[in-house]
Amino acid sequence: MSLKDLKKLPYLGVGLGLRRQLFQDILKHKKDIDWLEIAPENYIHRGGEPIDRIKTAMKYFPVIPHGLNLSIGGTEDFDPVLINGLKKFFKLLNPPWYSDHLCFNYVDKTYIHDLIPLPYTKEVVKLVADRVKKIQDIFQIPFLIENPSYYMILDHELSEADFISEILERSNCGLLLDINNVYVNSRNHKYDPVKFLNNLPLERTVQVHIAGHLNKGKIIIDTHGESIITEVYKLLGELLKRCSPKAILLERDFNFPKFTELVKEIKKIKKIEKLLKKAA
Amino acid sequence: MTLKDLKKTEEAIKDLILFDSSWKNKKLTGQFPQKVLQRLKIYKELVKNSFDSLFTSIYPHTYKLIKKDWTNIYKKYLKECPPDSPMLNRVAKKLPKFLSKQTDVLKKYPFISELAQFEWLEVEVYEREETNGKRKSIEQLNPIHEIYKFEYPITKIVNMIDKKQLVKNIKKENLNLIIYRDPKDLKVRLFELAPGTLAYIELLKRGLTHNEAIDILIDFFKINNQDKNTFKKNMGNLKKTLKQNQIIVTN
């Protein structure tokens, strides 16, 4: 997929992660939410209420898949159970793009069920770029890689920004820029988040994630279980001065507040986006 | 770092996160500097928390009984049944079979594997994929179901746990259940099956019609001519009940 193809993708607006516990409230607040994101691994090879929920959601919203277990950075061959499940599910969803995290989590036919960071080396760049091309061939829609939060560095032959940039350019894919992860990583690994953004090919940003995190003092954990803090909103503003993504998503996975609080966050994100679009 | 090295690193990280015993293996831990090992423990904790949450939500009653031994059970379970599915809740699928071999737990709770099986079947029926066969407008057994013949009174045990009663000295007591998904509201329902009802449903499951099933049952139970009509009437009422409960459905 070329940069041209990425630019032709539809503009979706500001959306919310679809969680079972939020579904009824989401339906009551349709006018405030532009689109929904789901983890496809929670729906493949399933029927009943989960699929019924997706079909209902699709009547009112674009529903976009954001994966958890593709292990795009791993050496293990892609799991056919996952790939076949996704192929079937995407026939229902018909999404404009699909994304997953720049990590590995499938080794020796075993799933770790978390997002393990990759060594930042040239060898891994080649590996990931080849695998991204395979995925784009399989699904025939643009694939986006997300910058994950990470708590350890395995190898830094390349900087994080260079590592991500080289993969994006080499595989010609899109970027899902998680702005909360940029903040969390910049605090945990002590670097300037704006400089980090400046070193990425932000013209490849198709989608943005924004979320809350848990500050434990010595370390910050990317939990998606808290409200977004001011610094992360500011960083979003910095990002939107530099690029115009097609979609922004508020992630909230647990510890849910009153739904009106989530609507407030969505409205704030929309306000920031509108202001910066006007200024551009 | 070559791809071979990367594969070695992946395997070591997988072992250190999933398998507790691997932290005693200096060949594995020696591959990483201390700072990385400290941070690997964060991932180990995140995965454990996620799996704990998964098991307590899928097996709430089983978990309450084995809570005290959970850490050891969890470690042993992951080693014997490493997560092989991209779907998170399938990590918990093999717990009933695993528990059927845990003699210590079975001594205390001989029904524990059946209790776990019951809780898993509820999940499986809830999310089972529909098979898109040819849609005929006929009556048939609800295709989304499981029939299970329990040796212990599992539903009674579940009630006792819910009421925080002491679950002790539970004697064997056969319980035949059909666990099925109501096509109207997609909820999971249970229906206890008397032996005759079980026999009837098993015949429907083989593709027999109501009348064919009745003929077989009349033969099997050696029902005499005098009682045939009463039997047929009773079976007609049974069929009505099963229809009302969405165990027999019309596509």
Side-chain angles (χ1 to χ4, degrees), chain A residues 41 44-50 52-53 69 73-76 79 81-82 88 104 107-117 119 121 123-124 127 149-155 189 219 221, chain B residues 1-3 6-7 9-11 13-14 17-19 32 35-36 39-40 42-43 45-47 50-51 82-91 123 126-130 132 181 185-187:
Chain A
E41 288 88 347
I44 58 171
H45 305 301
R46 286 175 107 182
E49 230 174 37
D52 192 65
R53 194 177 320 128
N69 282 320
T75 57
E76 188 88 9
D79 181 359
V81 169
L82 175 59
K88 189 179 173 188
F104 79 88
V107 185
D108 289 339
K109 309 219 182 306
T110 301
Y111 283 93
I112 301 174
H113 284 286
D114 206 298
L115 311 171
I116 312 304
T121 68
E123 200 65 44
V124 176
L127 169 76
S149 54
Y150 59 96
Y151 309 110
M152 61 189 183
I153 299 174
L154 294 173
D155 194 318
H189 305 288
I219 193 165
I221 305 286
Chain B
M1 187 183 264
T2 63
L3 285 184
L6 179 61
K7 175 95 185 149
T9 301
E10 287 176 341
E11 284 166 357
I13 288 176
K14 173 206 52 145
I17 290 176
L18 293 179
F19 310 126
F32 305 100
K35 190 169 183 188
V36 169
R39 292 294 170 94
L40 261 173
I42 295 175
Y43 288 97
E45 198 181 309
L46 287 171
V47 168
S50 160
F51 286 179
D84 58 4
S85 170
M87 300 153 73
L88 180 63
N89 68 355
R90 300 285 160 100
V91 172
V123 168
Y126 171 74
E127 60 180 45
R128 184 170 292 169
E129 253 184 311
E130 287 89 356
N132 293 322
R181 188 164 80 209
D185 62 9
L186 304 178
K187 302 281 181 228

Side-chain angles (χ1 to χ4, degrees), chain A residues 5-47:
Chain A
D5 294 321
L6 297 178
K7 287 191 191 301
K8 285 183 194 163
L9 291 170
Y11 172 75
L12 300 182
V14 181
L16 182 64
L18 170 54
R19 304 288 174 263
R20 178 178 47 89
Q21 302 90 323
L22 301 178
F23 190 52
Q24 293 308 318
D25 281 317
I26 287 171
L27 292 178
K28 289 178 195 159
H29 290 87
K30 288 197 267 297
K31 59 174 179 52
D32 297 312
I33 304 164
D34 297 331
W35 62 281
L36 299 175
E37 184 185 88
I38 51 127
E41 288 88 347
N42 291 338
Y43 295 95
I44 58 171
H45 305 301
R46 286 175 107 182

Side-chain angles (χ1 to χ4, degrees), chain B residues 21-38:
Chain B
S21 54
S22 59
W23 288 85
K24 295 170 192 152
N25 184 336
K26 294 216 166 129
K27 258 191 176 171
L28 283 177
T29 55
Q31 286 184 43
F32 305 100
Q34 266 311 306
K35 190 169 183 188
V36 169
L37 283 179
Q38 277 166 15

Side-chain angles (χ1 to χ4, degrees), chain A residues 243-258:
Chain A
C243 66
S244 304
K246 302 292 183 181
I248 304 176
L249 183 92
L250 169 60
E251 291 185 296
R252 188 68 182 247
D253 294 345
F254 68 101
N255 190 27
F256 301 111
K258 274 191 188 154

Side-chain angles (χ1 to χ4, degrees), chain A residues 159-178:
Chain A
S159 70
E160 184 191 349
D162 285 347
F163 179 70
I164 295 171
S165 303
E166 288 199 22
I167 290 170
L168 290 169
E169 301 296 344
R170 206 176 166 117
S171 62
N172 218 357
C173 71
L175 176 60
L176 191 165
L177 200 298
D178 189 309

